[in-house]
Every structure is written in C-alpha cells, then in structure tokens.
Amino acid sequence: MRVFQTIVASVAVAFTALPALANQTPIADVQRGTMVTVTGVVDRILDEDEFRLRDGTGALRVYVGPNWVPADIGEQVTVEGYMDNDIIFPELYARQLTRADGSVVEFSHRYE
C-alpha cells in the first residue's frame, strides 16, 4: 500500500508541474484577433525574435520581439499571447513562454 501511495503522490506532483491544459488551443483552431495558449515544438528559428511553433495540427509564427528567442529548435514550449489579424503573415505576439522544465519567460512589447 505504501508503494501505491508514493506512486500516486509522484503522479500528482508531476501533473501540478504541467501548465494548465484546459484552455489550450490546437494551432489549427487558433482564431485571428484572440488571446490564445498553444503548446508545440519549436520547429524553426525564423529571426532573432521570431520562431515557428508546430503541433500535431499545424504551425504558426511566434513573435517575441524585441527580445531574443528563448528556446531551441526541438524544444517543447507553451506560449500565451495575442494572435494578430495580419492576412499575409499572421503571428502570435507572445506575452509568456513556458519551457518544459516549468521556467517562465515574460515578454513586454514596448515600441517607441
């Protein structure tokens, strides 16, 4: 019984360390002009402040400027932000990025 309790406690700790998945949006379902939370793998670094995020449903551009991309190709991340209305190159303007280890990077988009 003690082993079972230890396993249950370990699983509970593991799940509490994960970001909330209830409000996750598959990339294919992201709507322009909305706040979204998406999880995927960094597929490609497009520029110093932009990368492509891919999940099993599609891919999208994520803008973190004027900051540097804080993740590596192949890394799984969760990004919260605003999906812009651009017709040609729609981008997710990231407000927060959570890495697989639980560390959080906040972004402040300041333009002068």
Side-chain angles (χ1 to χ4, degrees):
M1 183 66 168
R2 186 146 177 84
V3 172
F4 177 74
Q5 290 172 334
T6 302
I7 292 170
V8 170
S10 298
V11 170
V13 169
F15 279 115
T16 57
L18 295 174
L21 298 177
N23 61 352
Q24 296 282 314
T25 303
I27 289 175
D29 295 341
V30 168
Q31 299 293 314
R32 293 180 180 155
T34 62
M35 294 295 297
V36 297
T37 301
V38 294
T39 297
V41 174
V42 176
D43 187 45
R44 183 174 180 192
I45 306 295
L46 301 170
D47 200 352
E48 64 210 24
D49 59 3
E50 187 175 37
F51 64 94
R52 184 170 55 213
L53 185 68
R54 180 175 302 281
D55 71 4
T57 67
L60 58 75
R61 294 170 165 274
V62 178
Y63 178 72
V64 298
N67 309 283
W68 291 86
V69 172
D72 296 318
I73 294 172
E75 185 174 353
Q76 181 169 334
V77 296
T78 298
V79 181
E80 297 175 33
Y82 177 76
M83 195 65 199
D84 74 1
N85 283 317
D86 194 318
I87 293 172
I88 298 172
F89 293 113
E91 295 177 309
L92 175 61
Y93 287 91
R95 292 191 176 175
Q96 178 176 298
L97 180 143
T98 305
R99 300 177 83 163
D101 67 3
S103 60
V104 176
V105 179
E106 299 279 340
F107 301 108
S108 176
H109 301 285
R110 295 188 181 115
Y111 305 99
E112 296 178 17

